[in-house]
Amino acid sequence: MNAAKQAYVGIAVFELGKVAGDGEYYREDFYLVYAVDDAAARRAVETLAREHEYAVGPGEDRSYIRLAHVVDVARALQNPTEDAVDLYSRHFASLETYSEFEMMLGGRDPLAT
């Protein structure tokens, strides 16, 4: 018997940088995948995330994108077939700490010089 696929949300963090350049910064991507169980969903998220990686190239563009972590993969809170749904909920202990890295809450912009 085939199990029905469920919607999962995955979060991946990437390191972006330049070799001998301006340093590194990080990007957080959210993925929506459909899978039969938690393990299959995690594999699907990691596969998608790895498609966004690229190694340091030759020549002047010495930039790279590297998957740092698949942070979480969880079943979607609601079925994403409606016009508006609540997909994912994340918990943290300190708004102050969250605000330090979240640019929309006053955190440092890694691209600003």
Side-chain angles (χ1 to χ4, degrees):
M1 180 170 131
N2 290 336
K5 289 186 175 184
Q6 299 290 318
Y8 286 81
V9 177
I11 301 173
V13 174
F14 294 87
E15 177 184 309
L16 293 80
K18 284 187 172 280
V19 174
D22 295 332
E24 59 194 35
Y25 57 102
Y26 300 89
R27 181 181 86 201
E28 183 178 57
D29 286 14
F30 288 75
Y31 297 93
L32 177 63
V33 299
Y34 291 87
V36 295
D37 59 31
D38 294 354
R42 181 167 284 279
R43 285 191 304 273
V45 168
E46 184 160 346
T47 297
L48 281 171
R50 295 245 180 244
E51 291 175 1
H52 290 98
E53 288 184 305
Y54 69 84
V56 175
E60 289 188 32
D61 181 12
R62 306 287 293 160
S63 60
Y64 65 90
I65 298 175
R66 180 184 67 82
L67 177 63
H69 299 284
V70 173
V71 176
D72 192 17
V73 178
R75 192 176 284 180
L77 296 176
Q78 293 179 306
N79 188 356
T81 58
E82 302 297 322
D83 288 340
V85 295
D86 186 3
L87 285 178
Y88 181 80
S89 180
R90 202 157 105 164
H91 303 84
F92 48 92
S94 167
L95 185 58
E96 181 179 348
T97 303
Y98 182 80
S99 299
E100 287 178 14
F101 78 85
E102 176 50 60
M103 292 183 302
M104 300 298 202
L105 296 176
R108 182 179 67 85
D109 181 350
L111 301 177
T113 55

